[in-house]
Amino acid sequence: MSATANKTLEATLAPPTRCKEHRLQQTLTEYREALHEAFNNGCTTMSATNDVVTPYNLPYQAKDALKSYVPKLHNTYNAKEVGDEHPLRFVNRAGKFDRDTSREYEICWNVPQPGRGTNFWIPLRLNPDQQELWDEMLDDESSTKVGELRLQKHRTTWTLHVTVEYEIKDTSELPENPTRVGFDIGESMLVAGCALQHDIPTKPLLLNGKEAKRIRKEMFTTLKRLQERDASEWRVEERFSYYQNRLTDIIEKASRESVEYANQFENPVIVMENLAYIRESLDYGKYMNRRLHSWAFARLQGRIEDKAKDASIPIRYVHPQYTSKTCHSCKHIGYRPRQAEFKCKNPECHVSTFQADINASANIARRVDPWGESLPWKQADDDSPQDGSGCDTATVHRETSAPAQMTLTTYQD
């Protein structure tokens, strides 16, 4: 059985000639003026938007995109204002590409322009990690469908984003005899992974978050200093993009290693905490809130999910409550004398001291119960590390959850 997934392909336009650069800039400026006028006129329907954008000198693919997008700003996104840096949007009929392997840039895009016979071709520099999807999209026999296109200018560089819909294996149902792999996303330990084999934590994965934490701290300090010096906007934006690109590299590497780790097991199912409201729930004081809120937990989870879909690995999200407080073996409440150490309070439990992040990931994994059995959670005391390092936790206290009825022993390497 198959399902579909969406992904955005990215390509950089080869440096255009002066004439093509002028035409691209002219179309982008015209589009943004039309967008602002339609939004400021309160257009909530396609018909009302059409009346506003029709006089503008835009290709029909851009006008159709505006007619679909502007009503969403009012009806779906409830936008209060529109920024100045919106990309130039096209509907899927603008997805016309040509391929010739003898060229330096083998794929070219036919850039829509207003009027008949005014379009022009421009070469694309592809993201090499997305080469396979580009090949499928350009294959006439492929079922991959082109969606919306977005053209964005960043200083002197033009970037094209193409949304595609492609077939993947249906992961809505769990496989028989699944291997549950829990991932705990945090700040000190970027990713802690733990697979349950025969209900025993096995071959844990630990990806340190020290470098990401250092980059975020440096980014905050640098941007604050630039703003205090009243630096130019482009300079602030350049430094921000620099740090974001470095963090993106870390996220991409961590998400790839996480999925590769899960894929080594038979019939893997990736389990992660539902951290949808982490920004609203965390409250560790002004300094720590700024650090934790600047770290995109959901961004890393999203990239793991994207790569898991490509690998046909099911994803499940569970409530995060008490995953770091509960002993994975006896289910009693424990505590952490230090950030990376968990101690069980149950004198009869064979687990005395355990790696805290692995303990949490094992608890996350076992919350996906293939047999449907469950027990209610009981309230627990605070388990913040006694050395004061609780600021690095990403645990969220929300409504109760239900664990499975099974017993775990200490993890095996």
Side-chain angles (χ1 to χ4, degrees), residues 235-248:
R235 178 62 175 167
V236 175
E237 181 182 348
E238 180 186 57
R239 297 314 298 168
F240 178 77
S241 298
Y242 166 75
Y243 288 116
Q244 286 299 307
N245 288 336
R246 293 180 65 183
L247 288 173
T248 297

Side-chain angles (χ1 to χ4, degrees), residues 167-410:
E167 287 190 355
I168 60 172
K169 182 180 177 181
D170 187 9
T171 57
S172 59
E173 298 292 336
L174 293 181
E176 293 185 7
N177 301 317
T179 301
R180 291 159 293 166
V181 182
F183 286 128
D184 183 37
I185 310 297
E187 190 188 31
S188 290
M189 196 61 65
L190 193 60
V191 178
C194 181
L196 296 184
Q197 289 188 318
H198 307 292
D199 298 339
I200 300 175
T202 307
K203 298 180 181 178
L205 169 74
L206 292 174
L207 302 180
N208 198 291
K210 182 178 180 180
E211 179 64 12
K213 186 192 298 186
R214 187 191 66 78
I215 292 174
R216 296 200 313 280
K217 181 179 179 180
E218 182 180 321
M219 176 178 67
F220 176 82
T221 303
T222 302
L223 296 181
K224 183 178 180 181
R225 186 180 297 119
L226 288 173
Q227 291 171 345
E228 290 174 348
R229 295 176 179 176
D230 198 23
S232 59
E233 184 177 343
W234 74 264
R235 178 62 175 167
V236 175
E237 181 182 348
E238 180 186 57
R239 297 314 298 168
F240 178 77
S241 298
Y242 166 75
Y243 288 116
Q244 286 299 307
N245 288 336
R246 293 180 65 183
L247 288 173
T248 297
D249 290 340
I250 292 175
I251 288 175
E252 290 300 310
K253 181 180 179 181
S255 58
R256 182 178 66 252
E257 290 184 19
S258 298
V259 174
E260 289 175 352
Y261 166 77
N263 212 18
Q264 69 177 304
F265 301 102
E266 186 176 0
N267 298 328
V269 176
I270 292 177
V271 191
M272 294 186 288
E273 293 175 317
N274 183 353
L275 301 178
Y277 303 103
I278 186 171
R279 291 176 183 269
E280 292 79 1
S281 302
L282 285 175
D283 187 14
Y284 297 117
K286 182 178 179 180
Y287 173 69
M288 275 315 304
N289 280 345
R290 188 258 301 167
R291 282 177 58 191
L292 289 171
H293 291 183
S294 68
W295 174 239
F297 295 101
R299 184 180 173 193
L300 177 53
Q301 284 188 336
R303 294 304 295 147
I304 292 176
E305 182 174 351
D306 289 341
K307 290 177 171 61
K309 285 182 178 179
D310 289 340
S312 300
I313 300 176
I315 295 282
R316 295 295 183 269
Y317 287 94
V318 297
H319 291 298
Q321 196 168 23
Y322 306 139
T323 53
S324 65
K325 300 181 179 184
T326 308
C327 175
H328 70 272
S329 180
C330 69
K331 320 304 178 293
H332 279 67
I333 299 303
Y335 68 100
R336 291 173 309 181
R338 287 180 293 275
Q339 173 61 28
E341 187 175 307
F342 173 85
K343 284 186 176 293
C344 183
K345 292 181 179 181
N346 181 9
E348 299 180 359
C349 179
H350 70 278
V351 176
S352 57
T353 303
F354 208 83
Q355 212 287 337
D357 299 294
I358 299 175
N359 180 73
S361 59
N363 284 325
I364 292 170
R366 67 184 299 274
R367 290 198 177 179
V368 171
D369 184 359
W371 298 282
E373 300 176 355
S374 63
L375 284 174
W377 277 107
K378 58 182 179 180
Q379 292 296 321
D381 298 327
D382 180 43
D383 76 333
S384 299
Q386 297 178 4
D387 63 356
S389 57
C391 55
D392 287 343
T393 182
T395 303
V396 184
H397 301 285
R398 299 205 321 212
E399 59 185 274
T400 57
S401 177
Q405 290 181 351
M406 56 185 67
T407 302
L408 304 183
T409 59
T410 186

